[in-house]
Amino acid sequence: MTKVTAQLSVSLDGFYAGPRHTGDGDWMESAESAGFFRVTRWVTDAMAWRERQGFAGGEQDVNSDVVAESFGAAGAYVMGRRMADGGEVPWGEEPPFRAPVFVVTNRPRPTLVRGGGTSFTYVTAGVASAVEQARAVAGGRDVAVAGGGSLVRQVLKAGLLDELELHVVPVVLGTGLRLFDADLELGEKEAVELEPTRVIHTPQVTHIRYAVRGRAPLVLDDRGSGGGPTTTAG
């Protein structure tokens, strides 16, 4: 059964990159880039990621297994336009996805076909349309929301996300692009409930997978007042 999944590497204080780069300078030299590459260091060290990019070397370890599992589960991807534009040149003629990618955008563009089975279809009808188109071609495998963080929030806000995996890196960035923000537009007494389904710890990163249970009201919990249920020893 096709699931809509998302995963992001985040710092301990919830940032997936440094402060947003808005100038004309080199993104690779920006604070946004510095934060991003710190929280994704575990990925670029993984053999499975390096092999997928056509690079040599890397560590064959638990982190590499997590990367390989992620690639293997995805039958199609959904991506934001900023990420797609930023990756177009570095990914080259054979991007690592090897599956259809649907890019959420306000700017139309013809489908871009690359080698290895990757294509980029630019969807101007919104995130729900992109997810639906991806689901139609995923062949029963997962639809992976590849990012960035703003797009993950849009999918979560729309109630379309089934599973979220956070790769929590033991570093505090202090500021930057935060994964969860006010644009989820939750009510004052409302939350998004998730259920942990898997935790894998390594020295570099802790992988936590959640099933997304959806929006739910926040209700008064007065168990601390002593008025809750009690038991009597026999």
Side-chain angles (χ1 to χ4, degrees), residues 100-230:
V101 180
F102 295 85
V103 181
V104 180
T105 181
N106 293 320
R107 293 173 285 133
R109 181 181 178 182
T111 297
L112 180 65
V113 178
R114 293 300 201 204
T118 300
S119 61
F120 295 90
T121 300
Y122 295 82
V123 180
T124 58
V127 65
S129 176
V131 169
E132 189 59 33
Q133 291 181 56
R135 191 190 295 273
V137 299
R141 296 159 70 193
D142 293 347
V143 171
V145 181
S150 174
L151 182 65
V152 173
R153 290 195 300 274
Q154 290 179 52
V155 176
L156 181 61
K157 177 182 173 181
L160 299 172
L161 192 63
D162 300 308
E163 183 178 282
L164 173 66
E165 187 156 17
L166 297 182
H167 310 289
V168 183
V169 177
V171 63
V172 174
L173 294 183
T175 187
L177 297 179
R178 188 183 294 278
L179 175 54
F180 298 120
D181 215 330
D183 60 5
L184 284 172
E185 297 182 0
L186 294 169
E188 289 186 355
K189 292 186 177 182
E190 186 181 34
V192 176
E193 296 282 352
L194 302 94
E195 178 185 349
T197 59
R198 186 178 79 172
V199 179
I200 300 174
H201 172 72
T202 75
Q204 299 82 20
V205 58
T206 300
H207 311 280
I208 310 175
R209 179 177 293 172
Y210 298 92
V212 180
R213 297 309 183 201
R215 293 179 180 240
L218 296 172
V219 297
L220 176 65
D221 185 343
D222 63 351
R223 284 176 292 183
S225 68
T230 59

Side-chain angles (χ1 to χ4, degrees), residues 25-146:
D26 186 356
W27 182 84
M28 292 293 291
E29 299 298 325
S30 69
E32 180 181 342
S33 168
F36 172 78
F37 283 114
R38 174 60 190 92
V39 298
T40 58
R41 183 187 301 167
W42 71 272
V43 182
T44 55
D45 284 343
M47 181 180 292
W49 182 87
R50 298 186 68 82
E51 286 180 345
R52 194 81 170 200
Q53 306 291 329
F55 302 152
E59 300 293 329
Q60 179 55 63
D61 55 12
V62 172
N63 292 330
S64 184
D65 291 342
V66 169
V67 172
E69 178 187 52
S70 174
F71 279 130
Y77 292 84
V78 176
M79 183 181 298
R81 182 65 183 261
R82 187 168 185 251
M83 180 176 177
D85 286 353
E88 184 173 335
V89 172
W91 291 328
E93 291 301 314
E94 289 199 22
F97 306 104
R98 302 179 188 175
V101 180
F102 295 85
V103 181
V104 180
T105 181
N106 293 320
R107 293 173 285 133
R109 181 181 178 182
T111 297
L112 180 65
V113 178
R114 293 300 201 204
T118 300
S119 61
F120 295 90
T121 300
Y122 295 82
V123 180
T124 58
V127 65
S129 176
V131 169
E132 189 59 33
Q133 291 181 56
R135 191 190 295 273
V137 299
R141 296 159 70 193
D142 293 347
V143 171
V145 181

